[in-house]
Amino acid sequence: VQFVESGGGLVQAGGSLSLSCAASENIFAINALGWYRQAPGKQRELVATVYTGGRTNYEDSVKGRFTISKENAKNTVYLQMSSLEPGDTAVYYCNSVPAYFGSWGQGAQVTVSS
């Protein structure tokens, strides 16, 4: 399966952004889908996960600010981000959890200015 991310941009600290991720195949059977991010000079990290039953999990730094969801009928995963901080600046990717190497897309750049 391939993923295509969209919706990034430039926002001031405290603002909000929404990301979308379209999958090339049916996502219904994928046990877990996640949003990852990679900041300059840092390793890619998993920040949010959604499981087939709808349960979600978040990395501590984004808890209460980010919301992951999915819409099986559209094969799309979403990430709603609010109260953004400069530390959230990164390229955001979606993939399964654990990630499949061949499924990485181009990502969506999110830049948060102070």
Side-chain angles (χ1 to χ4, degrees):
V1 59
Q2 297 296 309
F3 298 99
V4 178
E5 301 86 357
S6 62
L10 173 64
V11 64
Q12 288 189 332
S16 299
L17 276 178
S18 294
L19 303 180
S20 297
C21 172
S24 62
E25 299 177 15
N26 196 321
I27 64 172
F28 179 79
I30 299 177
N31 182 58
L33 290 159
W35 280 96
Y36 302 74
R37 69 184 180 187
Q38 187 168 20
K42 295 186 178 181
Q43 289 189 333
R44 194 173 299 179
E45 62 174 346
L46 175 65
V47 297
T49 306
V50 59
Y51 297 90
T52 50
R55 181 172 62 89
T56 59
N57 192 55
Y58 299 93
E59 193 267 333
D60 286 346
S61 69
V62 308
K63 281 181 180 177
R65 301 188 298 119
F66 289 13
T67 302
I68 186 172
S69 61
K70 63 174 182 170
E71 191 169 357
N72 290 333
K74 295 186 176 180
N75 293 325
T76 301
V77 187
Y78 304 98
L79 186 68
Q80 176 67 40
M81 304 180 290
S82 61
S83 300
L84 283 161
E85 305 167 352
D88 296 318
T89 295
V91 179
Y92 285 72
Y93 305 85
C94 66
N95 205 322
S96 55
V97 180
Y100 291 132
F101 178 79
S103 297
W104 293 112
Q106 293 300 307
Q109 175 69 50
V110 172
T111 303
V112 184
S113 64
S114 58

